[in-house]
Amino acid sequence: MGLFNFFRAADINEGVVEYKATDGAVLLDVRTAEEYRNGHIDSSINLPLDRIHQIENIVKDKSTLLYVHCYSGSRSGQAVSYLKRMGYTNALNIGGISNYRGKVVK
């Protein structure tokens, strides 16, 4: 999600590649618990949007790189806005799992 991708729609596939290549990064899935159980990206952490305030219990360092996704990219956009207001400086909306071409686990 470099500077040149700023105006392009988020691509979850590129985001997951970057996440996997970044030590200490967190892949955050803000869909509901039921959506998560029906299939999620391996190693992602489920924290539904309505509980996003609980991130401080999971990620203490507010400079941690957070790759945030949901189903379509809408909720993850809301989550990133909230995270930034909470002081998380490296939260990125990588879009929706509906466009993910990789393997999901149940």
Side-chain angles (χ1 to χ4, degrees):
M1 303 285 140
L3 178 63
F4 296 105
N5 294 329
F6 182 76
F7 293 107
R8 216 171 65 189
D11 182 339
I12 190 167
N13 299 290
E14 290 177 12
V16 171
V17 168
E18 281 189 29
Y19 156 72
K20 289 180 178 179
T22 306
D23 289 338
V26 172
L27 182 61
L28 192 61
D29 185 330
V30 296
R31 296 177 300 150
T32 65
E34 182 179 355
E35 287 174 301
Y36 187 80
R37 281 191 301 273
N38 287 330
H40 59 273
I41 300 169
D42 194 32
S43 77
S44 64
I45 295 171
N46 182 226
L47 185 61
L49 179 59
D50 64 350
R51 295 194 341 233
I52 196 70
H53 61 278
Q54 296 175 357
I55 189 69
E56 292 175 315
N57 299 327
I58 300 166
V59 180
K60 307 284 187 204
D61 182 354
K62 292 189 176 186
S63 67
T64 299
L65 192 49
L66 303 172
Y67 290 89
V68 186
H69 74 282
C70 61
Y71 180 76
S72 68
S74 178
R75 284 176 283 180
S76 52
Q78 292 174 48
V80 165
S81 292
Y82 188 81
L83 290 164
K84 288 183 177 182
R85 286 194 306 272
M86 290 178 67
Y88 286 86
T89 57
N90 292 308
L92 301 171
N93 177 6
I94 62 170
I97 198 169
S98 62
N99 294 316
Y100 184 58
R101 293 187 299 268
K103 179 183 175 187
V104 296
V105 294
K106 293 186 179 185

